[in-house]
Amino acid sequence: MPELTVVEAVNQALTLEMARDERVIVFGEDVGLSGGVFRATDGLYGKHGAARVIDTPLSESVIAGAAIGLALAGWVPVAEIQFLGFAHNGFNQVVDQLARVRYRSAGRFSAQVTIRAPYGGGVRAPELHSDAFEAHFAHAPGLKVVAPSTPYDTKGLLLASIRDPDPVLFLEPLRGYRQVKGEVPDGDYEVEIGKARIAREGTDVTLVAWSGAVQVALQAAEDARGQGISVEVIDLRTLVPLDAATLAASVTKTGRAVVLQEAPLTAGFGAEVVATVQEEAFFSLQAPIRRVASPDVPYPVQMLEEQYLPNPERVLEAIVATTRE
Amino acid sequence: MPELTVVEAVNQALTLEMARDERVIVFGEDVGLSGGVFRATDGLYGKHGAARVIDTPLSESVIAGAAIGLALAGWVPVAEIQFLGFAHNGFNQVVDQLARVRYRSAGRFSAQVTIRAPYGGGVRAPELHSDAFEAHFAHAPGLKVVAPSTPYDTKGLLLASIRDPDPVLFLEPLRGYRQVKGEVPDGDYEVEIGKARIAREGTDVTLVAWSGAVQVALQAAEDARGQGISVEVIDLRTLVPLDAATLAASVTKTGRAVVLQEAPLTAGFGAEVVATVQEEAFFSLQAPIRRVASPDVPYPVQMLEEQYLPNPERVLEAIVATTRE
Amino acid sequence: MKKAAPAAHANLDGVASTSMPPMVRYLDEDGELLVDEQPMSDEMALEGYRVMLRGRRFDERSVSLQRQGRMVTLAPGIGQEAATVGAAMAVDAKTDWFVPQYREVAGQLWHGYPLRLAFLWHVGHPIAFQVPGELKMLPFQAAIAGQLPQAVGLAWGLKLKGDPGVVLAIFGDGGTSQGDFHEAANLAGVMKAPIIFLCQNNGWAISTSVAQQTASETLAQKAVAYGFPGIQCDGNDLFAVYATVLEAARRAREGKGPTLVEAVTYRLGLHTTADDPSRYEPREMHDLWVNRDPLRRMQLHFKARGVVDQAGLDRIEDEVKEDLRIAWEDAQKEPAPDPAYYFGQVHADQSQRLKRQMTRFDKGDRA
Amino acid sequence: MKKAAPAAHANLDGVASTSMPPMVRYLDEDGELLVDEQPMSDEMALEGYRVMLRGRRFDERSVSLQRQGRMVTLAPGIGQEAATVGAAMAVDAKTDWFVPQYREVAGQLWHGYPLRLAFLWHVGHPIAFQVPGELKMLPFQAAIAGQLPQAVGLAWGLKLKGDPGVVLAIFGDGGTSQGDFHEAANLAGVMKAPIIFLCQNNGWAISTSVAQQTASETLAQKAVAYGFPGIQCDGNDLFAVYATVLEAARRAREGKGPTLVEAVTYRLGLHTTADDPSRYEPREMHDLWVNRDPLRRMQLHFKARGVVDQAGLDRIEDEVKEDLRIAWEDAQKEPAPDPAYYFGQVHADQSQRLKRQMTRFDKGDRA
Ligand SMILES: Cc1ncc(C[n+]2csc(CCOP(=O)(O)OP(=O)(O)O)c2C)c(N)n1
Ligand SMILES: Cc1ncc(C[n+]2csc(CCOP(=O)(O)OP(=O)(O)O)c2C)c(N)n1
Ligand SMILES: [Mg+2]
Ligand SMILES: [Mg+2]
């Protein structure tokens, strides 16, 4: 099987689906002729032209909002928000409008819409281009939030997201875009939305992560092995709906858990993971679930990025500490 | 002491502070001549005129953003967002701009800004006028989030918020606006930001709530007493920064906790409370911390409101269940 | 930037903001035709009048029911019936979409929205949002201007599909201050989307006057920013609104893109039943507009033209009363909504997590 | 809506969008004066030229350092120096505020931002955002148009205070599509805020052309929507930008409110060092604008007018090179940022919760 990067996997999924389903329409800032600032949409404009691959004005709110209308007209919109941070500029359209189309109309209308956005830090990009803002969108009933970490899952989950009859926010790990490589089948396949993945099996501690942080988690797990600690790494892949069963099964086995969240600590998505795990597996827990996160500080400029983001050392500290409790 | 409603307490705090500090300027939609749709700013326009009490255009983003500039010019802005749901229309200005003024400029600038917004359901208002969206703003480093439930705390915390050198999102319980009455001193006093309040002492279960849900919690606690369960009710009053110490002390005593959140369950602020409590008091916990929340469903129309919102019965169920574990 | 272009010194005080066409009018305030030809037949005008009246009486009835505590807070469209019905008459319900804010019930009735559901909306029943059957209409929108990006996407999508439909999107004067209005209008201009932006300038955004809302002389001129035409029409003149929107719809169908139509009207009623205009509305302003009542204007027009006499008008009144009685009766027969059903309309498929939360609402009748 | 007003039939195809004043120009592409008088002294023009050159060489140097991996991704302002410096020259750094986006370094240098900090910005040092001393300038803004609501609030606040200052807020053509531009401009119009909206129309928003960005013929005409003047000036003509912004600043100071100035220029360099214009930029378009280079234009003007000869220009080159050398040297002497300090700048007072998180960063040197 060919080795692809995450962004190549995104491109392959889009290429495949646009050819397979003529209703699919791709739009956003700079997705056309230039193929997107990260080349995620490279080649689509050449294949399908300006009717189905559209450069929009610099307007996140109407990018998200127009997607609803395009879906009502029978299209299957795949909109790109150039960086997740700028989805804040259309937060009302995503959370209050897109997520509620089916519910508001009591089922008369629906919005088969995918909004793609790269996100997360560690690539020396400025604030708002780097912030891990997933938690804001995870608290929006009606919206599914998918956040894969590998090229394989990225392609399979993006295909599943585009085909999902309801809106999906598809978060792509900026850090993994070019750094993370993996085997990806050429053909058509889906990865089920709502199912986490055991990224590494282990018996002593469950380590939960998603998107760009999964690589950090795997490194920490490897380092822990050196200290005789067997860590099971769970890659959530989907944040909403959350796969509580897989989390519960793992923690029931290990009795200990660490949640790795790239975003600042307070009210991040890691809190939901902790709350769910202790609801599902409390009596198996032998120690408090620890969170490793960025401090409650906005995203810093490049020279401070490394100190800011959770790294394998900090995760390892937490793993070791939890085994001592 | 005179008995006031919550909205009267808001009005008294604004009236007092505008008289005390000429730098205070109040603006937003319909806050002027009409005194606000809930009369929170009633009388201010008459006292201070159009220079310091300003009706703005219907533009939440620039209401929040302009507050930053007004602060830079030396004013102390108190902006009203008519309903918190519409702060989503200026989410980028609140979370990405207002919250980051000090940090972005490495301390050169700061924004002594208060954004007031009524929020929460149960008053037969439409969606977006009723949604409890606090979690979105609690995950925004640089922004303090205050959410009192009583008239006394409302006045004291609003005064403290206006005087805080950094931005504060001040959430007012729509449900309590006219329903909740309480004694409020006429004079000037502050309630410290970041300190929770024991709303009712108890020994068996800790019940955590904030804003409009505190009344529901108190009712449930009273009902539990009938079943011989002594419930300690904690009114958070401030969400960010969270008063972990008070939570830990209570749970260390009771060994059991229920978190009541009006918002839909997933990734709501209750998850942060759960995560923090189990971090701080895990070894005192005798049962999983339970969350009582609305379902992961958008806010419904009026005929479905009562079934949607957590009520004392549901809270009582959780209290009883946790004591059985 | 041709090399030949003359140099100019900067002097901005003289810069004329814009040259707008005059406001479109057909009837004066006493219903006299200001032009030789009216833009629709007398029969059609009468039908329009009937629906305007239905909207008016519906709002009045709703307000009184709300006062009795039998309805939720609601926003009557009293005084604006010509604006919304005239616009609705100018599009084709078979092909065209009606995208409302929340103060357009009269126009929605013309487009096909049932009076029964309108009543159910005001009692807070979710079925009012489940736009029935094939009706091309979006649900009411609580967020000001929140419907506009969707409306533009819909129009753009219809055009891409080669569908003949156009979109009539309605919003208020206050809506023009929202970023969503701007982003939607700008995209519509770029995509030459077949959409009519109908701004109901009713003088107020709750207590905020249009002068406090924007410094532009007219709302119509805001179209200049987006490269498509904007025009004012007398929003209390059924013929003027109809003719203007008809022209805008023609342009949209011919691929000429969007039009911004500012219907200059006035909110004769309350902002909502929770509002007290006496706190901010100058009495004389109100009185001035009472004389411009769009219903009165049509009545005078009909009588002068001999289309229908007082007896005929009274008959229409009675028929409308009867329509309302039946609709309200039917509305009250509507069973209370089943939370298990409505809360189940979040996704096509319910997640395990949501299913579990639902058990509490499930009466078991659909396990 | 006077009763006398004539009725008009709706015909929109004829509706002229607007009547804009001609673009302000002083110099043709070869530096020849198109008017008798230049708007500033030769000395001042030379000083402006020097800062434009400093900006140009700074960008070139930064790009090459970035290519060597010594700088972060950055957005050069090459080709736009007349627009930003001309505007900066027209305001008073002692009283007026400069609110940048991120492509205005040349203008910021004129306003007083140190070259050393500009270099530190490009190495990702937080001190570049800590606008020094009393300098009236906001930090760089990563969010397009995110600075505009703040700039309007600042201008409004200065006016309320009776402060003589005006605000110069700069943004790009793409910025005009943001809801924040709209809401900010509209509020500025209502408050008659003393602000100059300087839109650098450099032809592109990354790969998106202005024609794809909006259907309006000019960006200046967008001011019509807000009830204040909008005007185009030749953005590669230092005199034209200076004169236009000077006039806008006069209006602002006289309480006449905002002005939208569209400086028509071109991005001769890359969007950012991560960009590859060859994917979307027509070669001939680029070449056309190379001949309109604002530096070349000033050089030809100075020579023709005998203000300075080639030797003089070479001397300025050398002096600018030396400025850059020193600034870059100083920049490299800047100690690495202390996370404990910078992460501590979130609130005036740190909460217990944050203090605990901070211990990890605290070197103990400030316990
Ligand atoms: C985005 C948003 N902000 C605020 C509100 C609260 N609100 C409801 S109606 C209204 C005024 C709307 O005025 P206008 O657009 O002129 O419409 P009208 O009510 O006059 O028909 C406001 C501010 C809202 N619903 N949506
Ligand atoms: C709100 C927002 N959306 C998207 C981006 C990503 N982005 C960075 S620069 C840019 C283009 C800006 O174009 P323009 O406003 O013309 O300024 P220029 O870069 O040409 O100076 C975009 C889309 C952003 N920074 N902010
Ligand atoms: Mg209005
Ligand atoms: Mg540009």
Side-chain angles (χ1 to χ4, degrees):
Chain A
M1 263 190 292
E3 281 240 325
L4 298 186
T5 62
V6 169
V7 71
E8 287 164 346
V10 169
N11 184 259
Q12 207 174 82
L14 293 173
T15 304
L16 185 156
E17 197 61 1
M18 284 199 84
R20 196 190 71 83
D21 183 349
E22 292 160 346
R23 301 171 309 155
V24 175
I25 175 170
V26 168
F27 58 96
E29 295 157 13
D30 310 292
V31 300
L33 187 55
S34 86
V37 292
F38 296 105
R39 307 289 170 255
T41 56
D42 196 16
L44 301 178
Y45 182 85
K47 283 200 189 67
H48 304 287
R52 286 179 62 198
V53 185
I54 304 102
D55 285 327
T56 63
L58 212 171
S59 312
E60 288 76 14
S61 196
V62 78
I63 288 171
I68 300 169
L70 284 160
L72 294 175
W75 296 94
V76 175
V78 181
E80 174 176 305
I81 296 294
Q82 205 164 70
F83 295 88
L84 182 63
F86 304 119
H88 280 176
N89 296 44
F91 199 69
N92 60 317
Q93 284 296 323
V94 175
V95 172
D96 306 332
Q97 301 299 331
L98 176 60
R100 299 183 176 202
V101 171
R102 183 184 296 276
Y103 180 76
R104 180 174 293 138
S105 67
R108 161 74 198 269
F109 299 115
S110 57
Q112 185 172 343
V113 169
T114 304
I115 296 192
R116 296 178 38 247
Y119 92 120
V123 298
R124 295 171 66 75
E127 59 164 343
L128 304 178
H129 298 70
S130 298
D131 300 65
F133 283 134
E134 69 273 33
H136 293 138
F137 301 90
H139 188 56
L143 187 67
K144 294 175 183 172
V145 182
V146 174
S149 71
T150 67
Y152 179 89
D153 287 340
T154 296
K155 179 176 173 180
L157 278 164
L158 182 50
L159 287 169
S161 298
I162 297 172
R163 297 165 188 176
D164 190 284
D166 289 301
V168 177
L169 177 64
F170 191 82
L171 302 176
E172 300 165 5
L174 207 37
R175 241 193 292 193
Y177 253 6
R178 285 159 191 165
Q179 290 166 27
V180 179
K181 290 196 172 56
E183 295 199 329
V184 175
D186 280 326
D188 185 345
Y189 67 97
E190 290 184 30
V191 172
E192 187 180 351
I193 293 172
K195 293 268 173 289
R197 171 180 75 97
I198 308 289
R200 172 187 176 115
E201 298 219 339
T203 54
D204 302 335
V205 178
T206 299
L207 175 57
V208 184
W210 56 92
S211 194
V214 170
Q215 294 301 314
V216 177
L218 289 170
Q219 181 57 55
E222 184 56 29
D223 301 345
R225 195 168 59 93
Q227 304 199 17
I229 306 170
S230 163
V231 176
E232 179 150 292
V233 178
I234 295 183
D235 175 355
L236 287 181
R237 301 197 295 190
T238 295
L239 307 186
V240 180
L242 182 60
D243 183 357
T246 298
L247 290 168
S250 177
V251 173
T252 304
K253 177 177 67 176
T254 61
R256 291 184 161 80
V258 172
V259 177
L260 168 56
Q261 159 189 307
E262 182 176 314
L265 181 72
T266 297
F269 190 73
E272 178 57 53
V273 176
V274 171
T276 298
V277 167
Q278 68 88 43
E279 281 159 8
E280 302 288 330
F282 179 82
F283 293 104
S284 311
L285 280 172
Q286 293 161 50
I289 305 163
R290 288 171 177 263
R291 288 181 289 174
V292 178
S294 293
D296 286 322
V297 168
Y299 205 86
V301 292
Q302 293 86 349
M303 282 183 89
L304 291 168
E305 227 179 339
E306 279 179 23
Q307 289 105 319
Y308 177 81
L309 291 171
N311 54 25
E313 294 66 40
R314 286 186 55 199
V315 180
L316 182 60
E317 274 175 40
I319 290 168
V320 171
T322 192
T323 56
R324 300 242 169 93
E325 281 176 317
Chain B
M1 263 191 291
E3 279 241 325
L4 298 187
T5 62
V6 168
V7 71
E8 287 165 346
V10 169
N11 184 260
Q12 208 175 82
L14 293 173
T15 303
L16 186 155
E17 198 61 3
M18 284 199 84
R20 197 190 69 83
D21 183 349
E22 298 155 342
R23 300 171 308 154
V24 175
I25 176 171
V26 167
F27 59 97
E29 295 156 14
D30 309 293
V31 299
L33 186 55
S34 87
V37 292
F38 296 105
R39 308 291 171 252
T41 57
D42 197 15
L44 301 178
Y45 182 85
K47 284 199 188 66
H48 305 287
R52 285 179 63 199
V53 184
I54 303 103
D55 284 327
T56 63
L58 212 170
S59 310
E60 288 75 13
S61 196
V62 79
I63 288 172
I68 300 169
L70 285 160
L72 295 174
W75 296 94
V76 175
V78 180
E80 174 176 305
I81 296 294
Q82 205 163 69
F83 295 87
L84 182 64
F86 304 120
H88 280 175
N89 297 44
F91 199 69
N92 59 317
Q93 284 298 323
V94 175
V95 172
D96 306 333
Q97 301 299 331
L98 176 61
R100 299 183 176 202
V101 171
R102 183 185 295 276
Y103 180 77
R104 181 174 293 139
S105 67
R108 160 75 198 269
F109 299 114
S110 57
Q112 185 172 343
V113 168
T114 304
I115 295 194
R116 296 177 39 247
Y119 92 120
V123 298
R124 294 172 66 75
E127 59 165 343
L128 304 177
H129 298 70
S130 299
D131 300 65
F133 284 135
E134 69 273 31
H136 293 138
F137 301 89
H139 188 56
L143 188 67
K144 294 175 182 171
V145 182
V146 174
S149 72
T150 67
Y152 179 89
D153 287 340
T154 297
K155 179 176 173 181
L157 278 164
L158 181 50
L159 287 170
S161 298
I162 297 171
R163 297 166 187 176
D164 190 286
D166 290 301
V168 176
L169 177 64
F170 190 83
L171 301 177
E172 300 165 5
L174 208 36
R175 242 195 290 196
Y177 253 6
R178 286 158 192 164
Q179 290 165 27
V180 179
K181 291 197 171 56
E183 294 198 329
V184 176
D186 281 326
D188 186 345
Y189 67 96
E190 292 185 26
V191 171
E192 188 181 351
I193 294 172
K195 292 270 173 289
R197 172 180 73 97
I198 308 289
R200 175 189 176 115
E201 299 220 337
T203 54
D204 302 335
V205 178
T206 299
L207 175 57
V208 184
W210 57 92
S211 192
V214 170
Q215 294 300 315
V216 177
L218 288 170
Q219 181 59 54
E222 185 55 28
D223 300 345
R225 195 168 59 93
Q227 305 199 17
I229 305 169
S230 164
V231 176
E232 179 150 291
V233 177
I234 295 182
D235 175 356
L236 287 180
R237 300 197 296 190
T238 296
L239 306 186
V240 181
L242 182 61
D243 183 357
T246 298
L247 290 169
S250 177
V251 174
T252 305
K253 177 177 69 177
T254 61
R256 293 186 159 80
V258 172
V259 177
L260 169 57
Q261 161 188 305
E262 183 175 315
L265 181 73
T266 297
F269 191 74
E272 178 57 53
V273 176
V274 171
T276 298
V277 167
Q278 69 88 44
E279 281 160 9
E280 302 288 331
F282 179 82
F283 294 104
S284 311
L285 281 173
Q286 292 162 50
I289 304 162
R290 288 170 176 262
R291 288 181 289 174
V292 179
S294 293
D296 287 322
V297 169
Y299 205 87
V301 292
Q302 292 85 348
M303 282 183 90
L304 291 168
E305 226 179 340
E306 280 179 22
Q307 290 108 318
Y308 177 81
L309 291 171
N311 54 25
E313 294 66 41
R314 285 185 56 199
V315 180
L316 182 60
E317 274 176 38
I319 291 168
V320 171
T322 191
T323 55
R324 301 241 168 96
E325 282 174 316
Chain C
M1 215 160 83
K2 280 170 270 59
K3 187 139 185 283
H9 285 73
N11 179 338
L12 297 174
D13 292 339
V15 173
S17 65
T18 181
S19 59
M20 296 295 297
M23 180 185 292
V24 177
R25 306 183 58 205
Y26 277 77
L27 295 171
D28 71 12
E29 290 174 25
D30 302 321
E32 250 172 71
L33 261 183
L34 297 161
V35 292
D36 319 339
E37 287 263 324
Q38 67 182 37
M40 63 177 77
S41 70
D42 292 327
E43 296 61 34
M44 191 171 175
L46 259 181
E47 266 324 291
Y49 170 78
R50 177 187 298 273
V51 175
M52 286 167 63
L53 189 70
R54 210 175 269 144
R56 172 70 58 93
R57 300 298 176 239
F58 165 78
D59 281 333
E60 291 166 345
R61 187 76 204 280
S62 297
V63 170
S64 77
L65 285 164
Q66 198 280 339
R67 296 304 186 207
Q68 302 161 34
R70 300 172 67 184
M71 284 189 164
V72 304
T73 300
L74 55 94
I78 294 172
Q80 305 177 214
E81 297 86 356
T84 63
V85 174
M89 291 172 83
V91 297
D92 180 347
K94 285 188 300 303
T95 57
D96 304 336
W97 286 76
F98 189 113
V99 180
Q101 183 79 72
Y102 52 70
R103 206 184 295 279
E104 295 73 38
V105 169
Q108 287 173 281
L109 293 175
W110 179 280
H111 203 70
Y113 187 73
L115 202 47
R116 185 183 119 268
L117 288 183
F119 276 121
L120 285 163
W121 175 35
H122 287 343
V123 299
H125 198 300
I127 198 157
F129 289 76
Q130 191 182 51
V131 178
E134 288 306 293
L135 183 56
K136 292 182 156 57
M137 182 180 288
L138 295 193
F140 308 101
Q141 178 57 247
I144 297 301
Q147 72 279 25
L148 299 183
Q150 301 166 47
V152 170
L154 176 55
W156 173 21
L158 294 172
K159 179 183 177 182
L160 282 175
K161 274 237 172 338
D163 183 301
V166 308
V167 175
L168 172 66
I170 310 194
F171 56 102
D173 43 288
T176 63
S177 296
Q178 282 283 310
D180 275 359
F181 161 76
H182 176 70
E183 296 195 4
N186 187 59
L187 180 67
V190 171
M191 300 300 166
K192 278 193 171 297
I195 183 168
I196 301 135
F197 291 101
L198 181 75
C199 179
Q200 287 201 79
N201 177 354
N202 66 353
W204 299 98
I206 307 186
S207 72
T208 306
S209 69
V210 175
Q212 292 170 296
Q213 195 65 244
T214 184
S216 67
E217 294 155 65
T218 68
L219 302 179
Q221 76 194 55
K222 291 179 184 285
V224 170
Y226 313 112
F228 55 75
I231 187 162
Q232 286 187 312
C233 62
D234 181 340
N236 287 13
D237 174 345
L238 184 74
F239 294 160
V241 176
Y242 172 78
T244 309
V245 174
L246 195 68
E247 167 71 358
R250 178 191 62 76
R251 295 187 69 257
R253 268 184 245 285
E254 290 176 1
K256 291 180 173 156
T259 305
L260 171 59
V261 176
E262 175 187 357
V264 179
T265 179
Y266 195 78
R267 194 193 73 206
L268 282 179
L270 310 148
H271 168 65
T272 67
T273 46
D275 180 40
D276 172 11
S278 72
R279 294 179 69 97
Y280 56 82
E281 185 191 32
R283 189 72 233 160
E284 32 330 327
M285 162 101 82
H286 186 90
D287 300 339
L288 177 71
W289 283 90
V290 166
N291 294 324
R292 297 176 179 164
D293 185 317
L295 288 172
R296 171 179 169 277
R297 192 177 302 195
M298 288 308 283
Q299 291 160 359
L300 293 173
H301 168 73
F302 288 140
K303 287 183 190 168
R305 193 175 165 97
V307 176
V308 59
D309 58 7
Q310 189 54 51
L313 290 173
D314 295 344
R315 204 173 323 102
I316 297 177
E317 266 293 353
D318 297 339
E319 288 160 7
V320 165
K321 265 208 197 61
E322 182 60 8
D323 298 343
L324 288 174
R325 195 188 56 72
I326 293 165
W328 175 231
E329 219 169 75
D330 293 353
Q332 289 166 292
K333 294 202 196 93
E334 186 71 24
D338 169 5
Y341 171 74
Y342 286 101
F343 293 173
Q345 299 302 315
V346 180
H347 304 286
D349 58 316
Q350 281 183 29
S351 67
Q352 279 309 322
R353 212 173 152 86
L354 193 51
K355 277 210 193 77
R356 241 206 263 173
Q357 298 172 18
M358 281 307 148
T359 52
R360 136 165 344 268
F361 305 105
D362 213 321
K363 299 211 188 58
D365 51 2
R366 61 170 64 67
Chain D
M1 215 164 83
K2 279 171 271 55
K3 189 142 188 283
H9 285 74
N11 180 337
L12 297 175
D13 291 341
V15 173
S17 65
T18 182
S19 60
M20 296 294 296
M23 181 186 293
V24 176
R25 307 183 58 204
Y26 278 75
L27 294 171
D28 71 12
E29 290 173 25
D30 303 321
E32 249 171 73
L33 259 183
L34 298 161
V35 291
D36 321 336
E37 287 264 324
Q38 65 184 38
M40 63 177 77
S41 70
D42 291 327
E43 296 62 37
M44 192 173 175
L46 258 181
E47 266 323 292
Y49 170 77
R50 177 188 297 275
V51 175
M52 287 167 63
L53 189 70
R54 209 175 269 144
R56 172 71 57 94
R57 300 299 177 236
F58 166 78
D59 281 333
E60 291 166 345
R61 188 77 206 281
S62 298
V63 170
S64 77
L65 285 164
Q66 198 280 340
R67 296 304 186 209
Q68 302 161 36
R70 298 172 68 184
M71 284 188 165
V72 303
T73 300
L74 56 94
I78 294 173
Q80 304 177 216
E81 296 86 357
T84 64
V85 173
M89 291 172 82
V91 298
D92 180 347
K94 286 189 300 303
T95 57
D96 304 334
W97 286 76
F98 189 113
V99 180
Q101 183 81 72
Y102 53 69
R103 206 186 293 280
E104 295 75 36
V105 170
Q108 287 173 281
L109 294 176
W110 179 278
H111 202 73
Y113 188 73
L115 203 47
R116 184 183 119 269
L117 288 184
F119 275 121
L120 284 163
W121 175 35
H122 287 342
V123 298
H125 198 299
I127 199 158
F129 289 76
Q130 192 182 51
V131 178
E134 289 305 293
L135 182 57
K136 292 183 157 56
M137 182 181 287
L138 295 193
F140 308 101
Q141 178 57 247
I144 296 301
Q147 72 278 26
L148 299 182
Q150 300 166 48
V152 170
L154 176 56
W156 173 21
L158 294 172
K159 179 183 178 181
L160 283 176
K161 276 236 169 338
D163 182 301
V166 308
V167 175
L168 172 65
I170 311 195
F171 56 102
D173 43 289
T176 63
S177 296
Q178 281 284 309
D180 276 358
F181 161 77
H182 176 71
E183 296 194 5
N186 186 59
L187 181 68
V190 171
M191 300 301 166
K192 279 194 172 298
I195 183 168
I196 301 136
F197 292 100
L198 180 75
C199 179
Q200 288 202 77
N201 177 354
N202 66 354
W204 299 98
I206 306 185
S207 73
T208 307
S209 69
V210 175
Q212 292 170 296
Q213 195 64 243
T214 184
S216 67
E217 293 156 65
T218 69
L219 301 178
Q221 76 194 56
K222 292 179 185 286
V224 171
Y226 313 113
F228 55 76
I231 187 162
Q232 286 187 314
C233 63
D234 181 341
N236 286 14
D237 174 343
L238 183 73
F239 294 160
V241 176
Y242 171 78
T244 309
V245 174
L246 194 67
E247 167 71 358
R250 177 192 62 78
R251 296 187 69 258
R253 266 184 247 286
E254 290 175 3
K256 292 181 172 155
T259 305
L260 171 59
V261 176
E262 175 188 357
V264 179
T265 179
Y266 195 77
R267 193 192 75 207
L268 281 179
L270 311 147
H271 167 66
T272 68
T273 46
D275 179 41
D276 173 10
S278 72
R279 294 178 69 96
Y280 56 83
E281 185 190 33
R283 189 71 230 163
E284 34 326 328
M285 164 102 80
H286 187 89
D287 299 340
L288 177 72
W289 283 90
V290 166
N291 295 323
R292 297 176 177 163
D293 185 319
L295 288 172
R296 172 178 169 279
R297 193 177 301 193
M298 288 307 285
Q299 290 161 359
L300 293 173
H301 169 73
F302 288 140
K303 287 184 189 167
R305 193 174 165 98
V307 176
V308 59
D309 59 8
Q310 187 56 50
L313 291 173
D314 295 344
R315 203 173 323 104
I316 297 177
E317 263 297 350
D318 296 339
E319 289 161 5
V320 165
K321 262 206 198 65
E322 182 60 7
D323 299 342
L324 288 173
R325 195 187 56 72
I326 293 166
W328 175 229
E329 223 171 69
D330 293 353
Q332 288 165 293
K333 295 202 195 93
E334 186 70 24
D338 169 6
Y341 171 73
Y342 285 101
F343 293 173
Q345 299 302 315
V346 180
H347 304 286
D349 58 313
Q350 282 183 27
S351 67
Q352 279 311 320
R353 212 173 152 87
L354 193 51
K355 278 210 191 77
R356 241 205 264 171
Q357 298 173 16
M358 283 304 150
T359 53
R360 136 166 342 269
F361 305 105
D362 213 319
K363 296 207 188 65
D365 52 358
R366 61 170 63 70

